[in-house]
Amino acid sequence: MDMSWDSWGMLACLCTVLWHLPAVPALNRTGDPGPGPSIQKTYDLTRYLEHQLRSLAGTYLNYLGPPFNEPDFNPPRLGADTLPRATVNLEVWRSLNDKLRLTQNYEAYSHLLCYLRGLNRQAATAELRHSLAHFCTSLQGLLGSIAGVMATLGYPLPQPLPGTEPTWTPGPAHSDFLQKMDDFWLLKELQTWLWRSAKDFNRLKKKMQPPAAAVTLHLEAHGF
Amino acid sequence: MLLRDCPVISKRKPESMALFAVFQTTFLLTLLSLRTHQSEVLAEHLPLTPEALKVSVNSAQQCLHLQWTVHNLPYNQEFKMIFQIQISRTETSNVIWMGNYSTTMKRNETVHWSWESELPLECAAHFVRIRSVVDDARFPEWNFWSSWSSWQEVNVQDSTGQDTLFVFPKDKLVEEGSNITICYISGNIQNDISCYLEGEQIHGEQLDPHVSTFKLENVPFIRKGGTNIYCEEKQRKAISNGTVLFVSKVLEEPKDFSCETRDFKTLICTWDPGANTALDWSKQPSQSYTLFESYSGKKKHCEEKNRCNWQITQDSQEIYNFTLITENYLRKRSVNLLFNLTHRVHPMSPFSVQFENISATSAVMTWKVHSLGDYFTLLCQVELHGEGKMIQHNVSVKANGKYLLNELEPNTEYVAQVHCADDNHFWKWSEWSGRDFTTPEAAPSEAPDVWRTMKSGSHNVTLFWKPLSKFHANGKILFYNVAVENLDKPSRLEHRSIPAPANSTELTLDGCSYQIRVTASNSAGASPAAVIVVSAAPGNKEIEEEIIEGTEDGFSMSWKPQSGDVMGYVVEWCDRPQDPLCDFQWKKLGPNTTSTVISSDAFRPGVQYNFRIYELSTKRIAHLLERKTGYTRELAPSDNPHVVTNNLTSHSFTLSWKNYSTKSQPAFIRGYHVYLKSKEEQCQPGAEKAVLPDDTVCCQYKIDNPEQKTFTVENLKPESFYEFLVTPHTSFSEGPSGTFTKVRTPDEYPYMLVHVIVPVVICVVLLVCGCLLKSQWMKDKCYPDIPDPYKSSVLSLIKSKENPHRTIMSISDCIPDAIEVVNKQEGSKIQSLGTRKSLTEPELTKLSYLYLLPTEKNYSGPGPCICFENYTYNQAASDCASCGHAPVSPEAPPSQWGLLTSSENLLKALEKNYMNSLGEIPAGETTLNYVSQLASPMSGDKDSLSTNALVPPPCSEYKMQMAVPLCLASPPPTENSDLSSITLLGPSEHYR
């Protein structure tokens, strides 16, 4: 089953990349490509990470054991309040400007990445550690990609406030069971964020896409 | 680090307690004088109630640490005291544990004591109180319990919200198989709560309305990440909280702990560590291993789990006492090993293995060993593998080893290897070091085994030889040399070289005696010669073949020597006698042997093997001594003879199966059984009753001579069915129960009939033939021809005088009453006068018949009827009306007419009559036959018919008449009717 999802995910990712391949040089020929390509790459990366996380979460939740690997497991969000929430009111989400949208993504993944690195400390099996490390690297890449888009659009990167650095050192009352719950929520929130990011970047992509007439005009001017 | 049990801390150390016991008597004597006074003092301050009781909690270890003091002890001296401790749970009255603790203490000294709770301390409030008694023989008057201290409450519940569910203990580390109690505190949650261990619900007991406890026994190891225990509210079906129980595998004692050195520089200690007890979430790392050497006092932490290297110092330490300690958070185990270093030497494997002076039968093997010092001698073991055999030799070696490998086989590949061990104190062999080598070839060591066959009546000799065994060949045989020498007259030796692997050659000799020498050669030389002499007079006399019984193991046979001076005997046979090549075999035996067992893997049951035993004279000439034949195992005959029946008579028949070969059968045929089935119950003499496998009873004739292949069954009944079966029989069985062949004996009378009837028939035939030959004569005599008036001379005279075209009697001149066609057969050709058209169809015949009906207009019904018949012509005619017919008047009802005149009915009636006319005229038919005494006027002269014949002749002296009943009278022909068809009736038809 995992292999099947992996295969479909890879295929979807490949198809997406191929679909956009012809568009990229055409846009490049117009001179300044703008933020379009980098937004597209960021979008593709979120889809790839989404697929990658599906495999990782399955492995990790099985490692935690029942009830965390049960399909209908829905624990209270006890210690996971510090995690950045991806869910947002639809109207609010629509009304977000580009800068805020990108900033929220950047901040969310910055925090999630930091939390995710904490998982690696507990996992004992080499295979799980390797998967986690690989995913962290990919997530770091997504963070860099978002930063690139923001830089292209001229938005400054959000600076973390002193003392607000997310930490993964549970308090003395934080039991391992609650820690496992937090791990579950971390993976779940990460997945929700990847879904949301795909929508965010899809929206940005459409917004940044120049009008079709203008593109045609540019093409004619360049002898196409 | 977590500890399994709570530490019980007392004020004094054990050493000081022992010291105190030694001097106790002294103190007692010294203090005896003060006893009265002291008693008075203590009595004033009693009771000695423990005071300043403090309770601290270690939640992780579920321990209560108590400390207290007794202020009222008089004097600054030690008292032996007993403290009684009570622990209550939930409320003070619920005492769950009570015990004594004995110790010695001084006044104001603090006493420490710990208690481990099986229930997590968070689950309920605990209460503790203590009382004491002086248990000192010096002060027996104080030996009574003090009053209890006040209850001290211990409450370690979290100060978290009351709406939250808690599960305790948190993240407990336990060993596999242990028992543990957990609890949940539900606070103000009113809903029912269920708890699960890895998805399986667990059931506990309620401690109070908000606390339930669960006892888990013999907890298993599930995963390194811990066993999840969680509780959920039934109504919300949402996980409220849980805990992770980290179950560690039990730490095992290291097994097979051993140390050795290979170079006197390093000791290598190895062991089997057993299961890894590591847990995730930083709960417990893998167990650690530490080596401790007691003589040197050195300790080393081992990096690896199953081995550790210990550096040997140069202080000449020989005896080592190692302790291997392994521990994790829950347990500590150790094993000990004491040894002398020189007894634990495991030499390194030898090197530079070489072979020198390799010959066909020997080689020198050399090797080197790593030196262990001047005082060490190594015992090396050389192993030689070759030809499926293994030879071991032991050699003592200081530094360089050398060994002569002899008794080797030429042209053989060997593998030689060597390993070494300490010669003084054997500990372990080193690893093997080895190489392979091949000895060169040598000349074959033995003459080939040669034998010959000679075709009778010719001088062709076929020489056979067996390939030399590898042991005797000493290399690859390249060719065989055959030298032929004439012994009767001096001549040149004839040499012949046959390349290997041929194993035979054919020689054509003359009538002289020859000596033949055969040698086998390889690259190193030739073998000794095998000599055989072929005598000029082979003297193969007729020797009767003797039957021997074989077994699965072969044929055992013996023979009688004829002359005392023999070189030996040879038994020859064919392994596959059915094959043309036969796979010729022989066996040579010594002169004193007169029996042998011939066995071969090629021998098969049911195959007849023939053996010839030859005697070899001292001149190497072979004489046939005996012939034997037999089967390893006789099989039942697979088929029955094909039997032919001869000489079948009414009382006997002969059976013959001459094509049946007794030689090619799978057993010796001893005879035949003839089975005869018949309806007769009794068997003939010479036969006896036999019951067949299908329970049928028949008669059995026995033939004991296998060469008798005919048998006559006699005394049979004529015209009877018999069934027979001929089957061969051997000494133990007979052929298959095949199908019986049926025979019917003929009738005995036909012979007589033939003798009578045949001559009679011949006579009759001869008589008929004679009659035919004289038919004219017979005709003339018996029924002479009636003269033809047309051919009379009178008629010819009239013709010539008058009209030559005119006939005397013309049909046109006649007025026929009726014309009957007599004996007109279907398909007969009717020739039209003008066209000669052939009319064969019955329809046409009918039509023509129709037109032949009476046409006379003045026909007036029935007239006088005269019937007559000319039997000579066998023709029938009938006249009109009344002959045998009821007269039909013209006044007959029209309906009758209508019926009868309808053409269909008419045709039917005509057809019927016509058909009748083809056969016999049945009696009682309504037609009358008028048969003319003369032929038709046209008979015999068809050509004379002319068209004017259509004109009816006015009269006729001889006319054919047919009486057609009125019912069949047809209407007069129409104009279209072709009256000429009347003439279709030629005379010939009439004559038929």
Side-chain angles (χ1 to χ4, degrees), chain B residues 622-696:
Chain B
H623 301 285
L624 180 63
L625 204 60
E626 290 185 19
R627 291 168 63 206
K628 315 270 185 187
T629 184
Y631 294 84
T632 56
R633 181 157 56 89
E634 289 187 68
L635 302 178
S638 57
D639 50 356
N640 292 325
H642 176 67
V643 181
V644 178
T645 312
N646 296 323
N647 304 333
L648 179 65
T649 69
S650 54
H651 293 286
S652 68
F653 57 85
T654 301
L655 305 174
S656 173
W657 56 95
K658 292 190 175 174
N659 291 333
Y660 187 70
S661 169
T662 54
K663 291 291 181 188
S664 58
Q665 299 306 318
F668 291 117
I669 301 298
R670 310 283 181 176
Y672 305 94
H673 289 160
V674 179
Y675 292 100
L676 189 72
K677 284 186 191 174
S678 67
K679 291 179 180 175
E680 300 161 32
E681 292 185 354
Q682 294 298 323
C683 292
Q684 300 293 338
E688 57 188 40
K689 279 197 173 180
V691 180
L692 296 174
D694 58 355
D695 290 338
T696 56

Side-chain angles (χ1 to χ4, degrees), chain B residues 27 34 38 83 95 256 260 276 288 348 379 413-414 423 441 455 503 607 742 796 879 906 960 985:
Chain B
F27 277 113
L34 300 172
Q38 285 171 341
F83 296 97
V95 175
D256 304 330
E260 66 185 24
N276 188 358
S288 65
M348 288 196 274
L379 171 68
E413 186 176 349
Y414 289 95
D423 199 7
E441 290 188 354
K455 288 181 184 171
N503 65 347
V607 177
K742 287 185 179 175
S796 60
D879 203 349
L906 180 65
M960 294 182 300
L985 275 176

Side-chain angles (χ1 to χ4, degrees), chain B residues 582-602:
Chain B
C582 110
D583 197 4
F584 184 70
Q585 305 288 325
W586 70 93
K587 183 178 181 181
K588 286 187 173 173
L589 299 153
N592 299 323
T593 310
T594 56
S595 66
T596 186
V597 175
I598 303 295
S599 59
S600 168
D601 292 337

Side-chain angles (χ1 to χ4, degrees), chain B residues 163-353:
Chain B
D163 295 333
T164 310
L165 184 137
F166 293 96
V167 182
F168 295 104
K170 285 181 180 174
D171 316 328
K172 181 88 173 170
L173 174 66
V174 294
E175 203 168 56
E176 186 179 17
S178 57
N179 303 328
I180 186 171
T181 305
I182 64 164
C183 74
Y184 72 77
I185 303 168
S186 58
N188 292 332
I189 298 171
Q190 300 298 320
N191 296 330
D192 287 341
I193 291 168
S194 301
C195 293
Y196 301 87
L197 186 147
E198 293 282 324
E200 292 287 326
Q201 188 171 0
I202 51 176
H203 302 282
E205 56 187 40
Q206 205 162 25
L207 201 61
D208 68 26
H210 301 292
V211 179
S212 287
T213 61
F214 302 87
K215 286 187 177 176
L216 307 178
E217 295 183 343
N218 194 17
V219 290
F221 170 83
I222 294 178
R223 71 176 73 80
K224 288 181 172 183
T227 304
N228 300 320
I229 300 165
Y230 52 94
C231 300
E232 66 177 20
E233 294 175 43
K234 274 189 177 174
Q235 290 181 348
R236 287 172 54 200
K237 284 197 172 179
I239 303 286
S240 296
N241 209 336
T243 186
V244 182
L245 192 65
F246 288 92
V247 181
S248 163
K249 288 181 181 173
V250 179
L251 180 64
E252 297 173 42
E253 189 176 84
K255 292 184 276 289
D256 304 330
F257 179 41
S258 168
C259 296
E260 66 185 24
T261 183
R262 306 201 75 164
D263 54 3
F264 284 100
K265 292 175 183 170
T266 306
L267 262 172
I268 303 162
C269 296
T270 56
W271 60 90
D272 176 9
N276 188 358
T277 63
L279 294 170
D280 291 348
W281 298 73
S282 308
K283 277 295 171 290
Q284 180 172 264
S286 294
Q287 65 266 35
S288 65
Y289 291 90
T290 306
L291 263 185
F292 173 70
E293 204 284 308
S294 62
Y295 291 109
S296 62
K298 290 180 182 174
K299 185 184 274 188
K300 185 183 180 187
H301 176 73
C302 302
E303 300 294 333
E304 296 179 69
K305 287 198 299 179
N306 60 347
R307 60 180 289 145
C308 210
N309 289 348
W310 184 274
Q311 293 301 317
I312 298 172
T313 53
Q314 301 301 320
D315 54 3
S316 304
Q317 182 183 353
E318 279 197 9
I319 307 298
Y320 287 81
N321 185 10
F322 277 110
T323 303
L324 176 65
I325 305 152
T326 177
E327 57 186 323
N328 62 11
Y329 289 167
L330 300 173
R331 199 181 280 268
K332 183 177 184 178
R333 288 182 181 275
S334 64
V335 285
N336 200 63
L337 182 67
L338 176 68
F339 62 90
N340 187 325
L341 180 65
T342 56
H343 297 178
R344 301 294 177 109
V345 179
H346 182 191
M348 288 196 274
S349 56
F351 60 100
S352 295
V353 177

